[in-house]
Amino acid sequence: MIKFDNVNKRYPGGHEALSGVSFHLKPGEMAFLTGHSGAGKSSLLKLIACIERASRGNVIIDGQNLTRLKNRHIPALRLKIGVVFQSHNLLYDRTVFDNVALPLIIAGYHQSEVGRRVRAALDKVGLLGKERVMPITLSGGEQQRVGIARAVVNRPPLLLADEPTGNLDPALSREIMGLFEQFNQVGVSVLIATHDHDLISRLDHRLLTLKQGKLERDGRTTELQTQK
Amino acid sequence: MKRTSVKSTDTDDRQRLNKPRGRVNAYFTHHLWVLVSSLGVLWRTPLATLMTAAVIGIALALPTGLHVLLQNVQQLSMGWEGTAQMSLFLKPGVPEKRIQSLADKLRGWDGVAEVQYISREQALAEFRELSGFGGALDSLDENPLPAVLVLRPTTEATEPAQMALLLGKVQKLESVDLAQLDMEWVRRLSGIIEVGKRGVLLLGGLLALAILLVVGNTIRLTILSRSQEIIVTKLIGATNTFIRRPFLYTGFWYGLMGAVLAWLLVAILLGLLSDPVSRLSFLYSSEFSLDGLELETVIILLGSGIALGLMGSWLAVGRHLQAIEPT
């Protein structure tokens, strides 16, 4: 699903965010991405969503090589990737329903289909009944769940999350991680960038650790407990 | 939190989605939705919307109003052109008999519909009656006025070129002192109208440019104020076409509102002018009254308003949407 082949990312000005990163996330696999801030987590996610382009090496998503992807094909790629942001990135001038429906409307779904899928997605994240509410009136955890509903509503094969629990307390964070595991169980590939070691050490998934732009370790989250 | 099992209905969804009718329907529904919602967004800030629409409206009303006025003047002068006539002032001392035979000769010419003879005495009487200088005439020893043959061309011969030809011919006649086209000024007027029309066109062009800039700038500000939203929708996978759509419809609404406003303005102005114009034309014992906006003019007005709105927003969107990319 995600394949990095000796990827370098150098920003204008010479800062090298990633160097020689290679890994392969198979379809249906779930992995965490960790590392100190500045280790290159965000850059790696940006390369996957084609927000940035690799300076060297190949990034292959769902069989598509992003190095050669034309700009006009980027939207179609992004429709295949559900992204959950730390800052939710909701549109605060429209209802929860309209926020979640956005990817479906972009993809051109029929009205009746949109309603059905939005309710299904909101049901999954436990927010059914809040469709007509404006996002600003919701708590941080609820807003994050709206963001997740939006990311999964058109059933993308790949789900990316950038510090999805960054602003949440431990109980809410566990709940959110539970949601991601549920989506993974039905076959969605999931990659989550996080620095919350306490939270992920209790789970058992693949763990990619970045350090100063290099892939330092490719192991399991359970190893975090033995490290302590 | 409710834990519901996730049923995969992906395959039948895809099949339903791929039905062309469903796609097309969804496409039109979406367009309609964007059309209405962009109007809704404008509606929420009525004052700002009205001000932009008013600028466009005034800019459109100016050339439209001038065009309608020019059309009216042209209408008026066209009525006069039909009554074109030529006055042949005869040399003094030409005997009555020769004048009569000359009149008969002229009646036989091509393009001459009617010849009227006004003798010196008749001319004097007429002058005395109309000018109010009767007293002055009395102090003169003899009648200073020449005899006149008034020549009215046939309708086919009122063409300027043929009139000029006829004028040249009568001028060469031996008894004719001076031949004069009475309606020369009508042609000058129509010349002035032509100049005016060109002026309206040029003015319209300049104002169209102004409208493009006004709409473009307004849309530019809207884009900037919604840049966060644009970034988010781009991240979700929106194409540029999708993002552009609401802004283009906003431009469409501005253009339409401006054009309707211009229509109203011109209609009001014509309404205010029509009474005094009727009174004035009554004084000239004319039946003339101001024509309102023709359907054709209204259609062109609405069409150009919408086109300018769309073009203005297209320019702004093309320039500024590309610059807003997620980082």
Side-chain angles (χ1 to χ4, degrees):
Chain A
M1 181 55 60
I2 303 176
K3 194 170 180 198
F4 271 56
D5 182 16
N6 202 14
V7 171
N8 275 43
K9 176 64 193 172
R10 184 191 290 272
Y11 284 101
H15 172 62
E16 190 145 10
L18 293 173
S19 57
V21 174
S22 299
F23 71 93
H24 184 196
L25 187 82
K26 291 183 193 69
E29 204 178 348
M30 178 160 174
F32 287 100
L33 180 66
T34 190
H36 296 290
S37 50
K41 296 193 299 276
S42 297
S43 295
L44 197 147
L45 291 183
K46 280 177 186 171
L47 289 179
I48 296 172
C50 214
I51 296 167
E52 297 282 356
R53 303 270 191 163
S55 313
R56 200 142 41 82
N58 288 320
V59 178
I60 296 159
I61 306 296
D62 201 14
Q64 257 181 316
N65 192 335
L66 302 195
T67 333
R68 286 192 286 273
L69 190 73
K70 291 198 175 80
N71 275 339
R72 65 193 154 93
H73 293 138
I74 291 175
L77 169 81
R78 288 186 185 153
L79 275 177
K80 286 198 287 188
I81 307 173
V83 187
V84 177
F85 308 90
Q86 179 178 5
S87 53
H88 321 319
N89 270 352
L90 300 177
L91 303 178
Y92 291 100
D93 63 339
R94 53 193 83 180
T95 60
V96 167
F97 182 98
D98 288 343
N99 265 284
V100 177
L102 199 56
L104 298 177
I105 288 167
I106 291 169
Y109 280 80
H110 196 272
Q111 204 76 37
S112 55
E113 189 64 23
V114 170
R116 210 174 61 78
R117 286 197 175 210
V118 169
R119 275 186 290 277
L122 283 173
D123 188 26
K124 259 180 259 175
V125 298
L127 284 177
L128 199 62
K130 300 246 178 184
E131 295 149 81
R132 297 282 145 226
V133 168
M134 294 310 257
I136 202 75
T137 63
L138 298 174
S139 70
E142 285 173 321
Q143 288 191 27
Q144 190 54 286
R145 285 187 289 176
V146 174
I148 292 170
R150 185 181 63 188
V152 299
V153 72
N154 64 337
R155 302 197 185 129
L158 174 62
L159 196 53
L160 294 183
D162 190 4
E163 305 280 359
T165 59
N167 302 324
L168 304 178
D169 63 49
L172 274 172
S173 301
R174 273 198 297 280
E175 227 174 81
I176 297 288
M177 284 305 172
L179 271 175
F180 284 119
E181 285 186 311
Q182 276 186 60
F183 291 119
N184 179 238
Q185 277 156 24
V186 295
V188 179
S189 316
V190 182
L191 181 64
I192 300 169
T194 181
H195 57 253
D196 193 343
H197 286 194
D198 280 345
L199 177 64
I200 58 173
S201 65
R202 296 195 193 118
L203 307 167
D204 183 16
H205 292 291
R206 190 172 169 190
L207 176 68
L208 302 166
T209 310
L210 284 170
K211 193 172 182 186
Q212 289 173 343
K214 289 192 171 65
L215 193 60
E216 187 195 39
R217 182 196 287 267
D218 185 353
R220 306 291 300 177
T221 48
T222 41
E223 292 165 19
L224 285 168
Q225 285 171 317
T226 54
Q227 273 173 28
K228 276 182 202 163
Chain B
M1 193 185 303
K2 219 189 314 182
R3 306 235 160 185
T4 42
S5 63
V6 188
K7 274 181 252 155
S8 179
T9 51
D10 241 31
T11 39
D12 56 71
D13 283 343
R14 288 280 143 73
Q15 276 162 4
R16 209 175 313 173
L17 194 70
N18 283 340
K19 270 189 208 161
R21 216 163 62 91
R23 273 278 186 189
V24 170
N25 265 344
Y27 183 74
F28 280 114
T29 318
H30 175 65
H31 265 271
L32 196 68
W33 183 81
V34 175
L35 181 71
V36 174
S37 71
S38 57
L39 181 63
V41 170
L42 290 176
W43 200 256
R44 259 174 263 158
T45 52
L47 200 70
T49 303
L50 191 70
M51 283 203 303
T52 306
V55 172
I56 299 167
I58 291 167
L60 282 173
L62 206 59
T64 310
L66 284 174
H67 169 76
V68 172
L69 288 180
L70 276 176
Q71 235 176 5
N72 274 295
V73 173
Q74 198 173 25
Q75 200 78 36
L76 193 63
S77 67
M78 243 146 72
W80 294 330
E81 225 155 52
T83 66
Q85 55 185 24
M86 221 175 269
S87 300
L88 315 183
F89 299 97
L90 302 176
K91 285 180 181 150
V94 179
E96 185 86 12
K97 243 171 96 185
R98 266 190 60 194
I99 295 175
Q100 286 296 354
S101 67
L102 179 65
D104 284 339
K105 187 173 139 194
L106 285 174
R107 279 189 193 104
W109 281 15
D110 267 351
V112 176
E114 196 188 316
V115 180
Q116 192 195 350
Y117 169 50
I118 300 168
S119 68
R120 297 181 60 190
E121 290 71 33
Q122 277 172 314
L124 185 67
E126 206 173 293
F127 185 80
R128 202 186 285 279
E129 196 181 317
L130 290 177
S131 69
F133 287 113
L137 285 174
D138 288 338
S139 64
L140 292 170
D141 292 339
E142 62 178 294
N143 181 2
L145 298 174
V148 180
L149 282 177
V150 177
L151 192 149
R152 205 164 60 73
T154 54
T155 18
E156 302 90 69
T158 43
E159 293 273 310
Q162 281 178 309
M163 287 289 270
L165 209 70
L166 194 62
L167 190 69
K169 257 167 82 181
V170 295
Q171 220 138 26
K172 286 193 198 107
L173 292 169
E174 203 189 317
S175 342
V176 174
D177 189 21
L178 177 74
Q180 194 176 307
L181 204 55
D182 293 346
M183 289 292 127
E184 194 73 61
W185 69 273
V186 173
R187 288 230 298 283
R188 284 187 193 133
L189 180 66
S190 73
I192 290 169
I193 290 173
E194 286 307 311
V195 172
K197 275 187 167 172
R198 182 64 58 88
V200 168
L201 212 63
L202 292 176
L203 183 73
L206 271 180
L207 289 170
L209 206 64
I211 292 172
L212 280 184
L213 293 177
V214 168
V215 175
N217 199 42
T218 311
I219 299 288
R220 182 181 70 89
L221 292 175
T222 318
I223 290 172
L224 290 181
S225 73
R226 290 168 70 179
S227 57
Q228 189 54 36
E229 180 185 335
I230 291 167
I231 287 172
V232 172
T233 41
K234 276 194 177 180
L235 279 174
I236 292 171
T239 56
N240 276 332
T241 322
F242 181 89
I243 296 170
R244 197 185 289 142
R245 210 167 282 147
F247 296 109
L248 290 183
Y249 276 119
T250 307
F252 164 86
W253 284 120
Y254 276 135
L256 181 63
M257 283 186 227
V260 170
L261 221 58
W263 183 6
L264 278 175
L265 278 174
V266 173
I268 289 169
L269 289 180
L270 286 177
L272 290 176
L273 278 176
S274 90
D275 253 7
V277 166
S278 298
R279 245 175 285 143
L280 183 69
S281 70
F282 177 74
L283 289 179
Y284 281 92
S285 46
S286 154
E287 304 249 310
F288 175 78
S289 67
L290 265 184
D291 279 342
L293 277 161
E294 284 169 10
L295 183 68
E296 196 192 327
T297 316
V298 173
I299 289 170
I300 291 174
L301 173 64
L302 293 180
S304 42
I306 291 168
L308 288 170
L310 279 174
M311 269 168 66
S313 55
W314 186 274
L315 287 175
V317 164
R319 271 187 57 81
H320 299 285
L321 223 48
Q322 241 85 56
I324 301 172
E325 279 288 345
T327 48

